[in-house]
Amino acid sequence: MEILLIRHGESEGDILQVHEGRADLLLTDHGRRQAKEMARVVKEKYMPEVIWASTLKRARETAEILSQETGIPVIEEDSLREFNNGVLAGLPYAEAKLRYPEPEGGRKPHEPIEEGESELEFRFRAQTVFSKILAESAGKKRIAIVSHGGMISNLLRAFLNLPVLSDTYFPTGDTGIHLLKLNGTQKIVMFVNDCGHLAKVDSEQLTAHN
């Protein structure tokens, strides 16, 4: 089985410079163009048999654009949502820093953000939903999972069996694509964070601004 991990496109949170997490913000027009280019490339090179998606608007909209391009239905999955950052969701960075400063020495992995979850809870949620998706997708040749940067990083940790408290991170750009392969017990990382499809979108935006 091949597994596509795809991040959502540019969202309103990127423009507003706020903590996203559980803030349920839409894609920008630029984000929709990014998603359309991603969908075109996925259809041409990595056609999936099923699309799983976070239920937050920015990911759900990205998945819907992919679904419209490929004709493949979307399965919504709440557990693919981004890190639950509780009281920080939707707050501008500067305001959040003043109202909810980080504890001295940083927050411990088991300590949740107020009204949110801890890093440990986030990792276990990712591990659980990844196991569920793989089990329910048994027999499929290729699946796509549309989610968020933090969740995708944790899904990659789960795939690679990295320690729960791993300090290894996997950044993902807007509509960045990762491709993983399960071949029996063998796990293969085909590529990570492919954003080549954004060159056309960025070029068009630059032309429009000139």
Side-chain angles (χ1 to χ4, degrees):
M1 177 194 293
E2 292 187 348
I3 306 154
L4 291 164
L5 301 179
I6 302 168
R7 184 170 176 256
H8 60 79
E10 179 188 77
S11 75
E12 293 172 344
D14 298 321
I15 304 301
L16 297 172
Q17 291 293 289
V18 299
H19 285 277
E20 284 195 286
R22 287 301 174 90
D24 204 5
L25 301 167
L26 292 167
L27 295 179
T28 62
D29 287 340
H30 184 60
R32 294 183 186 99
R33 288 192 292 271
Q34 291 174 329
K36 287 176 183 175
E37 281 303 306
M38 173 275 294
R40 184 184 59 77
V41 169
V42 168
K43 180 182 180 181
E44 180 182 334
K45 297 182 178 180
Y46 315 110
M47 185 72 166
E49 294 179 58
V50 63
I51 301 168
W52 293 79
S54 159
T55 52
L56 290 174
K57 291 173 184 174
R58 56 193 185 274
R60 184 66 180 79
E61 190 176 2
T62 301
E64 194 58 48
I65 290 169
L66 178 58
S67 176
Q68 289 168 0
E69 179 68 28
T70 60
I72 304 299
V74 176
I75 300 173
E76 295 187 13
E77 175 54 64
D78 277 337
S79 294
L80 285 171
R81 290 181 169 214
E82 183 59 292
F83 177 64
N84 186 351
N85 56 349
V87 292
L88 299 180
L91 281 183
Y93 296 134
E95 182 181 349
K97 194 171 183 179
L98 289 174
R99 290 177 59 182
Y100 304 104
E102 277 283 307
E104 188 173 346
R107 189 175 284 102
K108 303 295 189 294
H110 68 279
E111 295 176 339
I113 291 177
E114 186 179 340
E115 298 179 18
E117 66 186 339
S118 69
E119 288 292 343
L120 281 177
E121 288 170 326
F122 186 31
R123 171 62 190 267
F124 287 134
R125 175 160 61 86
Q127 197 95 25
T128 301
V129 73
F130 197 41
S131 177
K132 172 189 173 180
I133 288 172
L134 294 183
E136 294 188 12
S137 302
K140 304 292 186 186
K141 292 183 179 180
R142 185 182 295 124
I143 66 172
I145 300 174
V146 181
S147 189
H148 311 266
M151 173 55 77
I152 288 172
S153 198
N154 265 331
L155 292 174
L156 283 162
R157 292 183 187 122
F159 178 79
L160 295 170
N161 292 326
L162 294 179
V164 170
L165 296 179
S166 172
D167 58 359
T168 303
Y169 296 89
F170 301 92
T172 309
D174 292 338
T175 63
I177 305 169
H178 308 259
L179 181 61
L180 315 175
K181 187 173 183 179
L182 283 171
N183 186 12
T185 59
Q186 187 181 47
K187 297 181 175 184
I188 305 166
V189 178
M190 305 295 286
F191 59 78
V192 296
N193 196 25
D194 181 0
C195 296
H197 54 277
L198 295 183
K200 180 180 177 182
V201 183
D202 293 340
S203 174
E204 289 174 349
Q205 185 178 45
L206 184 62
T207 301
H209 287 169
N210 287 340

